[in-house]
Amino acid sequence: MRFVHCSDVHLTADYRGLPLRRLGWRRWLALPELLAGGRAQAYRRAPQTLAAIAREAREHAADHFILSGDLTACALDSEFNAAREALGALVEDRGRCTVIPGNHDVYTPGSLRVGRFERYFGHLLESDLPEHCREGPYPFVRKVGAGAAVVGLCSARVPPVPGISQGFIGRAQLEGLAAVVADPRLAGRALLVVVHHAPLTPRGELAAGPWGLRDGAALCQLLPGPRHAVLHGHIHRRFHHAATPERPHLFGAGSSTFAGHEGYWVIQVEGGRVTGGRMQELAV
């Protein structure tokens, strides 16, 4: 079985054309990095790049497509709408597509309060095993074929101030995940657990500090060995840590649409185990 995994696509509105009163102070603080810092320019072609990744997923006959958060720059409706349009028909079928929110998709309390992510992608959060949901729709389970299941978690929280982007899953979701791992209906399936924040750094250390995953160690302890993989984004570097008897495979998808670093993972599953992955660069 073949899974395509991308992340941190950051479709970015034209912030120069938006009235400041509509943006709010959190987005005001982001404007220097977006505009003067060149971030908006780096993601100028993100819609076309995301559409190309979705197209390649179809051409590769991938069994499932996974996007592990940060669809937007700052959680505007226009950015979510652009992401959904770029994904095209792929995003209409939850059997073929999993999308979870990242911290940029809950950038403001208002975006979380009105359920802006759910407005565009909520249809993908329905679970095949809803009895394991503990925090809203999470963790949700998506059976894929006869040999795998995708499990969606939410680590994205509204930051106290921009720049503090630490994530946490929380006890309730972790308890739900433990029940998923032990569910006999999933025996014999590889479990691909999707979360936005990274449990480990590219060097293999616990990701801590203002940008890490606070309960990353607890997550890894629930998922020992090659039956399991954690697919994440947040850290804008593409890397893989192979599974050990104590922890799962970890696939960091980097930022799949960042100019000059466009790409994604193709992850292989055979016999109910994750057998490896291949980094795929995108020709643009």
Side-chain angles (χ1 to χ4, degrees):
M1 302 182 71
R2 186 181 296 115
F3 294 78
V4 166
H5 171 215
C6 66
S7 197
D8 293 66
V9 295
H10 289 297
L11 275 71
T12 304
D14 180 6
Y15 281 79
R16 289 187 174 90
L18 296 172
L20 286 177
R21 68 180 182 278
R22 287 182 51 198
L23 295 179
W25 67 268
R26 290 171 183 265
R27 295 189 184 97
W28 296 348
L29 294 180
L31 289 178
E33 182 185 10
L34 277 171
L35 302 179
R39 188 180 178 97
Q41 179 65 21
Y43 290 104
R44 182 177 60 85
R45 290 189 51 79
Q48 295 91 332
T49 303
L50 179 56
I53 294 171
R55 184 170 59 252
E56 290 198 2
R58 293 191 296 270
E59 291 171 355
H60 289 320
D63 294 277
H64 204 79
F65 174 89
I66 296 167
L67 203 171
S68 55
D70 276 2
L71 287 77
T72 69
C74 295
L76 291 176
D77 269 300
S78 60
E79 294 171 340
F80 282 115
N81 186 59
R84 180 155 180 172
E85 287 187 351
L87 290 170
L90 190 63
V91 81
E92 302 301 328
D93 183 357
R94 68 184 184 90
R96 299 174 59 206
C97 181
T98 292
V99 180
I100 62 163
N103 57 293
H104 279 260
D105 304 321
V106 292
Y107 201 78
T108 65
S111 63
L112 181 64
R113 185 174 59 253
V114 303
R116 196 162 289 149
F117 172 85
E118 290 77 11
R119 185 181 301 165
Y120 294 90
F121 298 98
H123 62 292
L124 299 178
L125 304 181
E126 183 180 345
S127 181
D128 293 341
L129 300 175
E131 60 271 31
H132 296 318
C133 299
R134 296 292 190 276
E135 182 183 343
Y138 305 101
F140 62 82
V141 178
R142 186 88 63 252
K143 296 177 184 177
V144 182
V150 175
V151 183
L153 299 174
C154 183
S155 63
R157 313 292 173 172
V158 178
V161 294
I164 305 297
S165 57
Q166 186 181 62
F168 67 91
I169 299 163
R171 180 181 300 176
Q173 287 187 61
L174 290 173
E175 289 175 354
L177 177 60
V180 168
V181 172
D183 194 313
R185 292 169 293 181
L186 299 176
R189 292 177 181 265
L191 298 183
L192 283 70
V193 178
V194 187
V195 68
H196 179 63
H197 290 77
L200 300 181
T201 69
R203 296 178 60 181
E205 302 160 344
L206 280 174
W211 52 269
L213 180 61
R214 200 161 71 197
D215 40 13
L219 173 64
C220 289
Q221 287 169 6
L222 288 175
L223 304 167
R227 178 197 178 197
H228 307 110
V230 171
L231 282 54
H232 67 82
H234 195 57
I235 297 176
H236 286 190
R237 287 180 60 187
R238 206 164 291 124
F239 61 93
H240 171 224
H241 296 305
T244 71
E246 292 77 33
R247 62 162 171 77
H249 289 277
L250 290 107
F251 291 94
S255 179
S256 295
T257 60
F258 189 89
H261 299 276
E262 298 91 343
Y264 54 90
W265 278 105
V266 179
I267 299 169
Q268 299 287 340
V269 170
E270 296 178 13
R273 297 158 59 98
V274 178
T275 56
R278 168 172 54 85
M279 285 191 291
Q280 181 70 44
E281 294 184 358
L282 191 71
V284 295

